[in-house]
Amino acid sequence: MRTIQILILYLCLCLPKAEAQNYATYVDVPADYPTWPQMLKARLDTILTDPLLQTSQLGLMVYDLTDDSTLYTYGHRQTLRPASTMKLLTAITAIETLGADYQLKTSLYHTGTVSNGTLYGDIYCVGGMDPLFDRSDMIAFVNKLRHQGIDTIRGQVVVDLSFKDDDRLGEGWCWDDDNPVLTPLLYDRQDNFAEQLIRELQRDGVVIIDMVDFSNSRRGKSQNSRSYVASRSHSLAELLVPMMKESDNLYAESLFYQLAIAGGSRSATGKQAANQVKRMIQKVALRPNDYKVADGSGLSLYNYVSAELEVRLLRYAWRHKEIYDLLLPSLPIAGLDGTLKSRMYPGPAAGNVQAKTGTLTGISSLAGYCTASNGHRLAFCIINQGIMRMADGRGFQDRVCRALCER
């Protein structure tokens, strides 16, 4: 009889509620037998005896999205540095504020007039901080100029960087890190747009009379009397997958500054972008002043969030299909791809956990979604701070995820 009761309990925990009830009516399960949430709590309590927590901080929250209830917390309201799980705040805010079809645009104009194949004026390159702009886009620019009959330019190449402020590093970034350059004009992720445009023009036979060397390009705002040549753009949806799967910092910062422009700014600043994220924090019923938003990528040591905040945002995304349907496919999948490709495999979390990783010196974090053995959808956030070995933090997080997914 005991064996049958255990089998029925197993079915109750693993099958959808309606199906489980059909089995449970045949045999009485002891009233004091632990429920799935109780079993999960016991597993997590055991994991939290890890000596790692004697010398480091932990923010942990697990939320049952299906039941709309909190399953487990530990230090979930501590403000901690999130590392790259900060990209979740940026991504969710961007999808909510800008939409999947929002375009990051780079445009080309010229001043003056064209006569007998010669442009008597300057070329203006107007940046929109598009990190996907590459050689194919640059060649398209050159072709558009050529289609206008231009084979000679008596003028200069001018870069218009008015999209954002002059800061080339984010607030609180370490100067000796491998940081992306925050410029509005990007070519293959680099800050050499004018040089590359000049090279492609010359390769195509265009003569630039006033051009002595690549350093002859200058900065300035586009003039009102300019003539449109071409634009190239890429959508938010195109940026999101590489940004999240591979934890690309430049992509995250590009979206971060788009938020500032969406807020009405003519020239984006990090502070204006942060204000947009803070509005999102208000939407999930938390107080923005309880947290610090310094950048969009998580590189900054000035970022301070909590596990509760990240879970609230994940819950908000799950409740809004237009956000969730775009966010979920962008998250790394345990044991399969992105920054989780080599983690949690084999085991119940492999192919199940979809989450954003985070790594900075002394910080390891993980936040995202998984499906429990009872079919319930869960959101979780784990922030380990003050750890000396990244492997310890990742190992701790992997054990938590296996506990969430195992039967």
Side-chain angles (χ1 to χ4, degrees):
M1 184 62 178
R2 177 65 173 168
T3 302
I4 296 175
Q5 288 177 330
I6 292 174
L7 175 60
I8 294 301
L9 177 63
Y10 176 83
L11 292 169
C12 289
L13 293 175
C14 298
L15 292 174
K17 186 179 294 184
E19 294 180 36
Q21 287 174 344
N22 292 333
Y23 289 94
T25 55
Y26 292 102
V27 178
D28 291 331
V29 176
D32 60 347
Y33 206 88
T35 63
W36 184 85
Q38 291 170 333
M39 289 166 53
L40 174 63
K41 181 180 184 304
R43 293 174 194 157
L44 295 179
D45 284 345
T46 300
I47 293 172
L48 263 63
T49 62
D50 192 317
L52 177 69
L53 300 189
Q54 297 177 11
T55 56
S56 63
Q57 295 171 276
L58 171 66
L60 169 63
M61 185 171 186
V62 181
Y63 196 87
D64 190 325
L65 297 167
T66 305
D67 272 351
D68 197 18
S69 62
T70 301
L71 288 174
Y72 196 90
T73 61
Y74 182 95
H76 64 300
R77 289 179 177 157
Q78 289 190 80
T79 49
L80 303 170
R81 293 168 176 158
S84 279
T85 58
M86 192 73 185
K87 292 181 177 69
L88 282 169
L89 279 72
T90 302
I92 293 170
T93 305
I95 299 170
E96 167 82 354
T97 306
L98 306 174
D101 296 329
Y102 178 87
Q103 301 291 314
L104 288 77
K105 185 187 298 183
T106 305
S107 300
L108 200 66
Y109 299 85
H110 73 70
T111 59
T113 59
V114 179
S115 177
N116 296 322
T118 299
L119 169 64
Y120 295 90
D122 296 326
I123 300 293
Y124 277 79
C125 313
V126 184
M129 207 168 179
D130 178 5
L132 289 175
F133 191 98
D134 60 14
R135 187 163 184 258
S136 66
D137 297 303
M138 192 68 85
I139 290 174
F141 274 2
V142 173
N143 289 339
K144 285 290 186 179
L145 283 169
R146 295 291 268 161
H147 288 163
Q148 293 188 7
I150 296 172
D151 56 33
T152 304
I153 299 172
R154 285 189 172 272
Q156 295 182 327
V157 173
V158 183
V159 292
D160 183 339
L161 306 180
S162 58
F163 175 88
K164 69 176 292 293
D165 58 21
D166 291 334
D167 293 341
R168 291 297 176 264
L169 294 176
E171 180 187 5
W173 287 11
C174 293
W175 64 269
D176 57 348
D177 278 350
D178 184 19
N179 298 313
V181 179
L182 304 181
T183 178
L185 270 170
L186 292 159
Y187 174 82
D188 274 344
R189 308 173 58 90
Q190 302 302 311
D191 183 18
N192 59 355
F193 192 97
E195 176 180 345
Q196 295 300 326
L197 174 58
I198 291 165
R199 283 181 175 170
E200 291 298 340
L201 286 167
Q202 292 175 332
R203 281 179 183 147
D204 204 64
V206 177
V207 177
I208 305 177
I209 301 297
D210 291 349
M211 186 64 203
V212 178
D213 56 39
F214 294 145
S215 62
N216 201 31
S217 62
R218 60 186 174 86
R219 294 176 57 176
K221 289 188 178 181
S222 299
Q223 300 178 11
N224 292 330
S225 59
R226 67 191 183 182
S227 298
Y228 175 77
V229 177
S231 291
R232 300 289 286 183
S233 62
H234 298 92
S235 69
L236 180 153
E238 291 178 85
L239 265 70
L240 200 61
V241 170
M243 167 182 157
M244 302 299 275
K245 291 280 189 187
E246 303 303 330
S247 199
D248 192 294
N249 295 320
L250 178 58
Y251 289 15
E253 295 302 330
S254 295
L255 277 190
F256 188 63
Y257 280 93
Q258 306 301 320
L259 290 171
I261 295 297
S265 172
R266 290 187 177 181
S267 183
T269 69
K271 183 176 180 180
Q272 292 161 342
N275 286 338
Q276 293 292 93
V277 178
K278 289 179 179 179
R279 291 189 181 96
M280 192 70 215
I281 294 173
Q282 284 183 311
K283 283 191 175 183
V284 297
L286 293 175
R287 296 183 301 182
N289 290 339
D290 289 345
Y291 310 97
K292 171 65 175 176
V293 178
D295 69 8
S297 63
L299 278 172
S300 177
L301 296 178
Y302 297 169
N303 289 311
Y304 277 94
V305 304
S306 67
E308 179 184 39
L309 170 58
E310 295 201 4
V311 167
R312 288 276 190 105
L313 286 166
L314 289 167
R315 182 180 68 170
Y316 184 92
W318 188 75
R319 289 177 170 180
H320 293 78
K321 180 176 172 57
E322 68 280 7
I323 301 177
Y324 186 73
D325 286 352
L326 196 60
L327 177 68
L328 186 66
S330 76
L331 295 175
I333 304 173
L336 291 180
D337 66 16
T339 54
L340 284 179
K341 184 176 182 179
S342 60
R343 291 176 59 177
M344 304 182 212
Y345 182 86
N352 185 342
V353 168
Q354 292 182 258
K356 182 70 199 73
T357 58
T359 303
L360 278 177
T361 301
I363 305 160
S364 181
S365 54
L366 186 69
Y369 303 101
C370 67
T371 300
S373 61
N374 63 355
H376 286 207
R377 197 67 172 148
L378 310 181
F380 66 89
C381 178
I382 314 162
I383 303 176
N384 295 101
Q385 182 169 290
I387 55 175
M388 299 301 293
R389 295 177 64 251
M390 291 300 106
D392 292 339
R394 290 192 292 267
F396 179 89
Q397 294 150 21
D398 291 356
R399 290 197 299 276
V400 170
C401 287
R402 291 188 184 103
L404 298 181
C405 299
E406 69 185 4
R407 297 188 181 278

